């Protein structure tokens, strides 16, 4: 293990500035404030420094400097994550958003190599003229980076048919926390030996920084049809979802929005024309060859009608289709209209349990007197219960957090997972022991230690430190102080908001 | 004692006595991989059966010793299937399939084992039970141990249970052969047409004469294609294909025979590269009369498989020669090519591919998961 | 918010707008300063976070870096149409600038410009001088000089390069109602030909032009800079003047002016005496392209030229007017409209921003110029004086053979061609 840095923050900042230029190192507390949260601002952690390398070489040099000094750091893309994963608690943020070069595009072999800061939607717009697309489409696609997608193994509505980031990344050039640069995976798609690329994807910044990523591109389907089915009960829509999946048709996407969500979207600039009086809608997309899609469309329509759909509408053209999707994709943002604060949850349940879990969530929301907006990827059972509330009201905050904990428990009890696409980060770390045994968590810790023996990359995320047997043995042998030597404080850290304190204490006390 | 506990006990005994273990399913593929010197075989062939199957979820959890045939039988009852057809027979186990990351023709449309695996349970080299992933179709909780174990050839842990993604069985599933008896030029033209088309086959393989002959498809090179889905989708694709080539419908069992093509093989080499590399070279590779080298090319995935049986050094050299234009193309773009050795004569391994896990990260992982090196030691090299 | 650090300030009033932000980050890629400066402090999400921090007291209004990031905002409002929660960013920015103003002096140059613009008696001679200067070869000679002087001269030089056209008599029946035009300060001073063209094309399209004496600068520059006091003063005078004119429509050919005038109601929301009148007047304000589009507009004579169109931020983002200017150009026979890549991106003009924050402004302008060059169109149409001068100056200095022009001037030239 490298010795902890003897440098103070301003000396580190100077050294970093030599690499990336003055303008791209932030050390003033007031300028670091905006980096104290990601897309889930209920959590705030004030970083000590932020550095934004502009080239891959600069990024490598930055990581090497941090390695030489034994300084912990947190990689960050666009800061749109929803698990508090990119927060740096008094340590260094390494932002990769300036690495935005699309390095190469191989149209015939349908692959592209990009720097990690390339924005998902920008890649898609770039390849669209060639009849190609990059399939993973998280709702934050307009802002999130491919590097961030790799770190979180991001999903999106169309993952139902096309798979998540894991299924679309062929190879990566990675700088490990030690500063060593390694190539993972193979641009040809297959390789032997351990699937280190697979292990790296979804490692939430704990294994190093992906600098260069080669992704698979998918041909644009010949035909896309988007259906909007509306229901007067949540239960009917849930049952129809299960029935469509059971029918064997694999829709490109199958999305669910409940009444409160519909109404908030319809009051936003992304109003999509969803019926405001409905209690649930399903947004179903079928794609592929024209002939096959037409046949499936009739089956799906039939299932919807038989399942109690009030109306089933098919988007007439691309403009209407885009509008229907914009409403869905911006729904989470639109909830800012309801109340000043928002909790976005992410859990997965077996698809046959949709109807009863939604009922359970409803009962929990009644019990705690909170309004849950459900907008989620129904096709793969990936729930996103969201609660808008005011963190300034301690009583309401308390109720909201209790409700969320209970919802998560119901999902776990149903045989589900605590996160389908947002990642564990800070937000879910308290639940990890509810779904993984001690030996499993320890195996994860061991894997992390191979990539990052000193635990300097994104410390304190994903796996609770106390469950890491080997690490704890090492740490206690060295004396706990050597695990992370904080740099001397230059200024008071930002005071955490009331809600972040509440949220965490709830999770931790809950264990 | 549960069956996983039985595995734990065996592994712990191995650790205590420092006796390496050969991990086996039904023992069908033991000739693949580098030679393993192990005093004892830990067989999971009997550890089979369904743990959990809710057809509506389209997920299946089974014990690792379940054979592909068994999974096929169980899922067929609900009109579902696991579209995973590795080379070899259906008597192979799912545990071995995942451990070796073995895929077959259906990977064209349904992806590799890593794409179908949702979660697993394994026993590591310390005799600890570890779970990765989960039983739901989407999951990013924790680091991805499922991908790590897939293709690790038993060296990081003994897979005891897996959860897989299932698909509804297609309403129509038909296969066709196209004889490529014309000139190299006309074959290349056909391949380019197919590559540029909207065809979305379940499987697509190009076979050289030796391969075609062993499947009873005549003496010339052939294209074998599998079209599935609802009736109209198969209809429209078949129509499109028929416009550019003369198709002949073949039995689905042709695929079973194709997958068994390396039975008794001495060496099996897989070359994975950019798909377009095959557009220009496939016709000449297929036309090259190598009566004893069985060649199949999957132009969609960019994978060529070379199989030789009998003989020895000479055949191997011939095989390697056949792969050279693809592996080391003159365009200087060879960096994107992987040559993967599945099976070789034992004495050849140290020369051709001593290890695929010699990099520091792989060594570190092996050391973390199996510090005493008792699980399939040496099968991936040191 | 418990314990607001800046009670009673315009920023404190804006808290509901700040609270609407859920930190989703969808605005980042829409923001020209974020794309150029690559720091979230220079993004809408970051600036809103700074605003919130000002109210929480975690940063102080006199913190120079906070001031810098707020100053560096172009105010283009490209973030507003992409915001799912409907954060009224433009209003938040004005409130912040107004609040920060109280704790520090406005830069001298900005103060001087705003001072002049608020006073018609000073503005007129200033513009007169500028116009005189523009008529001489001096600006062209000096337009290559490095730095702000060169750029300012290039801006002036660009104003003297409109399209040639002959005189014609604009005749109309006035069946669409009475319209008073905002003469504006820059438009009146440097683009008076465009103002006259505006009256002619409106007349041809059935609007009866009425005079609105006593009108002033719209106040947009003041409001954007946080000088809400003077902005309100100017607004009140304009409301009175246009009310008196009896016009049903107030036609504005400067997108920045139109945007603020449509929002007079918000500007005077705390003034019980003027609130209603301000909203009523705001609802009658139209961009000239909106009035023309509503009338067709009438087709003119052939103008066989290649034109590309750049959307002013305050037209497309603030006023959400996107199609009307295109239908104005479409009414010109023979005109070939070439699409401009990223035409929805800001050009970096942003009122007086290009004079106050020259480096960022140049950085934002550079890709715009490259995209214009790629169209190989000799004309760039855009309906805002700031953009006309910013792009015009950039074209001169980059030696790109193209000129900026107001769409109305093109329509006017087409009508003139018809008359011949």
């Amino acid at each position: 293990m490298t010795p902890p840095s003897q440098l103070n923050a301003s000396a580190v900042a100077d050294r970093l500035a030599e690499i990336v230029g003055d303008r791209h190192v932030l050390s003033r507390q007031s300028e670091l404030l905006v980096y104290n949260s990601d897309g889930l601002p209920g959590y705030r952690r004030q970083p000590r420094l932020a550095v934004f390398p502009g080239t891959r070489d600069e990024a490598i040099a930055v990581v090497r400097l941090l390695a030489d000094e034994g300084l912990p750091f947190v990689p960050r893309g666009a800061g749109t994550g929803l698990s508090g994963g990119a927060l740096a608690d008094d340590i260094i943020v390494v932002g990769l958003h300036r690495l935005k070069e699309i390095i190469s595009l191989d149209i015939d072999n349908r692959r592209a190599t990009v720097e990690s800061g390339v924005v998902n939607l920008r890649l898609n717009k770039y390849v669209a003229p060639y009849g190609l697309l990059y399939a993973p489409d998280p709702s934050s696609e307009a802002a999130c980076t491919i590097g961030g997608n790799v770190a979180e193994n991001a999903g999106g509505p169309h993952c139902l048919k096309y798979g998540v980031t894991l299924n679309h990344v062929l190879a990566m050039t990675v700088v490990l926390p030690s500063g060593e640069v390694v190539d993972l995976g193979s641009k040809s798609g297959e390789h032997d030996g351990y699937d280190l690329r697979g292990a790296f994807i979804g490692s939430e910044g704990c294994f190093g920084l992906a600098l260069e990523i080669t992704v698979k591109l998918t041909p644009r389907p010949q035909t896309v049809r988007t259906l909007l089915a509306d229901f007067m009960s949540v239960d009917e829509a849930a049952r129809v979802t299960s029935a469509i999946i059971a029918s064997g048709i694999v829709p490109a996407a199958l999305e669910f929005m409940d009444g409160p969500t519909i109404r908030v979207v319809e009051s936003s600039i992304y109003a999509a024309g969803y019926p405001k009086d409905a209690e649930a809608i399903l947004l179903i997309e079928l794609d592929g060859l024209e002939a096959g899609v037409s046949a499936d469309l009739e089956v799906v329509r039939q299932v919807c009608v038989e399942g109690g759909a009030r109306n089933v509408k098919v988007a007439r053209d691309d403009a209407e289709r885009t509008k229907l999707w914009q409403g869905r994709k911006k729904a989470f943002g639109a909830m800012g209209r309801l109340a000043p604060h928002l909790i976005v949850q992410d859990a997965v349940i077996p698809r046959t349990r949709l109807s009863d879990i939604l009922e359970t969530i409803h009962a929990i929301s009644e019990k705690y007197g909170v309004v849950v907006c459900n907008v989620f990827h129904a096709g793969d059972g990936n729930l996103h219960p969201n609660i808008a509330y005011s963190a300034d009201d301690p009583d309401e905050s308390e109720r909201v957090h209790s409700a969320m904990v209970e919802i998560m428990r119901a999902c776990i009890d149903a045989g589900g997972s605590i996160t389908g696409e947002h990642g564990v980060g800070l937000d879910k770390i308290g639940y990890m022991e509810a779904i993984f045994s001690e030996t499993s968590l320890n195996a994860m810790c061991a894997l992390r230690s191979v990539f990052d023996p000193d635990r300097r990359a994104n410390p304190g995320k994903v796996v609770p430190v106390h469950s890491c047997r080997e690490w704890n043995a090492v740490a206690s042998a060295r004396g706990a102080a050597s695990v992370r030597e904080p740099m001397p404080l230059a200024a008071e850290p930002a005071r955490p908001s009331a809600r972040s304190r509440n949220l965490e204490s709830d999770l931790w006390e809950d264990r | 004692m549960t069956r996983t506990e039985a595995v734990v006990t065996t592994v712990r005994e191995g650790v205590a006595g420092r006796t390496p273990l050969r991990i086996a399913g039904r023992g069908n593929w033991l000739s693949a991989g580098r030679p393993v010197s192990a005093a004892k075989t830990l067989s999971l062939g009997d550890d089979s059966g369904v743990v959990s199957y809710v057809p509506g979820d389209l997920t299946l959890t089974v014990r690792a010793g379940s054979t592909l045939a068994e999974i096929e039988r169980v899922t067929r009852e609900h009109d579902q299937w696991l579209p995973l057809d590795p080379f070899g027979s259906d008597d192979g186990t799912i545990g071995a399939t995942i451990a070796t990351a073995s895929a077959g023709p259906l990977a064209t449309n349904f992806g590799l084992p890593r794409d179908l695996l949702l979660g697993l349970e394994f026993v590591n080299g310390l005799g600890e039970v570890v779970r990765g992933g989960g039983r739901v179709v989407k999951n990013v909780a924790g680091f991805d141990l499922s991908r790590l174990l897939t293709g690790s050839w038993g060296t990081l842990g003994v897979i005891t249970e897996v959860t897989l993604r299932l698909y509804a069985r297609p309403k129509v599933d038909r296969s066709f052969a196209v004889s490529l008896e014309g000139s190299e030029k006309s074959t290349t033209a056909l391949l380019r047409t197919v590559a540029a088309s909207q065809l979305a086959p379940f499987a697509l393989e190009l076979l050289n004469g030796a391969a075609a002959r062993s499947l009873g498809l005549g003496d010339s090179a052939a294209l074998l294609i599998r079209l599935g889905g609802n009736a109209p989708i198969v209809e429209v694709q078949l129509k499109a294909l028929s416009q550019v080539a003369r198709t002949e419908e073949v039995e689905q069992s042709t695929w079973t025979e194709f997958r068994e093509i390396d039975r008794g093989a001495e060496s099996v080499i897989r070359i994975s590269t950019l798909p377009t590399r095959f557009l220009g070279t496939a016709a000449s590779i297929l036309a090259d009369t190598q009566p004893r080298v069985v060649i199949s090319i999957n132009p969609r995935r960019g994978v060529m498989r070379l199989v030789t049986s009998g003989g020895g050094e000479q055949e191997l050299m011939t095989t390697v020669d056949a792969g050279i234009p693809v592996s080391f193309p003159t365009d200087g773009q060879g960096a994107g090519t992987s040559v993967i050795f599945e099976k070789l004569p034992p004495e050849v391994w140290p020369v051709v591919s001593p290890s695929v896990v010699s990099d520091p990260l792989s060594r570190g992982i092996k050391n973390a998961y199996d510090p005493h090196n008792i699980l399939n030691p040496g099968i991936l090299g040191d | 918010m418990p314990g607001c650090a800046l009670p009673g300030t315009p920023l404190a009033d804006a808290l509901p707008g700040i609270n609407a932000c859920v930190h989703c980050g969808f605005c980042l890629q829409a923001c020209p300063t974020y794309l150029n400066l690559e720091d979230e402090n220079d993004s809408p999400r970051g600036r809103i976070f700074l605003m919130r921090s000002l109210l929480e007291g975690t940063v102080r209004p006199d913190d120079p870096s906070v001031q810098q990031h707020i100053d560096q905002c172009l105010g283009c409002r490209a973030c507003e149409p992409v915001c799912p929660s409907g954060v009224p960013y433009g209003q938040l920015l004005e409130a912040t600038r107004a609040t920060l103003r109280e704790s520090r002096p406005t830069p001298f140059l900005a103060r001087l410009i705003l001072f002049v613009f608020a006073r018609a008696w000073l503005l007129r001679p200033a513009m007169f001088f500028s116009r005189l200067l523009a008529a001489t070869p001096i600006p062209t000679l000096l337009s290559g000089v490095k730095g702000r002087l060169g750029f300012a001269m290039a801006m002036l030089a660009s104003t003297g390069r409109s399209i040639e056209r002959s005189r014609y008599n604009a005749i109309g029946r006035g069946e669409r109602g009475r319209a008073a035009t905002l003469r504006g300060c820059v438009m009146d001073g440097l683009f008076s030909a465009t103002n006259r063209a505006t009256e002619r094309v409106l007349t041809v399209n059935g609007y009866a032009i009425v005079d609105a004496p006593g009108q002033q600068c719209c106040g947009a520059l003041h409001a954007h800079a946080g000088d809400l006091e003077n902005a309100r003063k100017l607004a009140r005078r304009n409301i009175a003047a246009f009310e008196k004119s009896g016009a049903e429509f107030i036609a504005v050919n400067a997108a920045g002016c139109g945007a603020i005038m449509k929002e007079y109601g918000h500007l005077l929301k705390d003034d019980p005496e003027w609130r209603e009148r301000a909203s009523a007047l705001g609802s009658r304000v139209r961009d000239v392209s909106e009035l023309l589009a509503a009338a067709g507009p009438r087709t003119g004579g052939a103008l066989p030229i290649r034109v590309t169109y750049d959307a002013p931020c305050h037209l497309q983002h603030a006023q959400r007017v996107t199609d009307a200017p295109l239908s104005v150009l479409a009414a010109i026979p023979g005109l070939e409209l070439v699409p401009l890549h990223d035409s929805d991106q800001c050009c970096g003009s942003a009122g007086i921003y290009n004079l106050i924050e020259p480096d960022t402004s140049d950085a934002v302008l550079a890709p715009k110029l490259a995209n214009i060059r790629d169209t190989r169109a000799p004309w760039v149409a855009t309906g805002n004086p700031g953009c006309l001068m910013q792009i015009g100056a950039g074209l001169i200095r980059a030696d790109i053979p193209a000129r900026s022009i107001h769409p109305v001037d093109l329509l006017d030239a087409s009508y003139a061609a018809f008359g011949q």
Side-chain angles (χ1 to χ4, degrees), chain A residues 109 188 190 352 417 439 443 469, chain B residues 57 128-129 139 276 301 336 369:
Chain A
N109 287 305
S188 69
E190 289 184 40
T352 45
S417 172
T439 48
R469 186 178 54 208
Chain B
D57 288 332
E128 296 170 335
V129 181
N139 190 359
T276 46
R301 278 166 64 210
Y369 282 68

Side-chain angles (χ1 to χ4, degrees), chain B residues 2-16:
Chain B
T2 67
R3 287 177 292 181
T4 300
E5 282 167 359
V7 174
V8 168
T9 305
T10 311
V11 171
R12 289 200 173 149
E13 284 168 7
V15 173

Side-chain angles (χ1 to χ4, degrees), chain A residues 64 87 135 150 180 193 206 213 216 225 290 328 333 383 393 405 416 423 429 435 457 478 493 501:
Chain A
R64 288 191 178 153
L87 304 196
V150 167
E180 193 192 339
C206 296
I213 300 155
K216 222 189 278 183
R225 295 285 176 77
E290 168 66 36
R328 163 62 188 89
L383 304 182
D393 176 346
V405 169
I429 197 164
I435 57 166
R478 282 184 186 146
R501 277 203 305 275

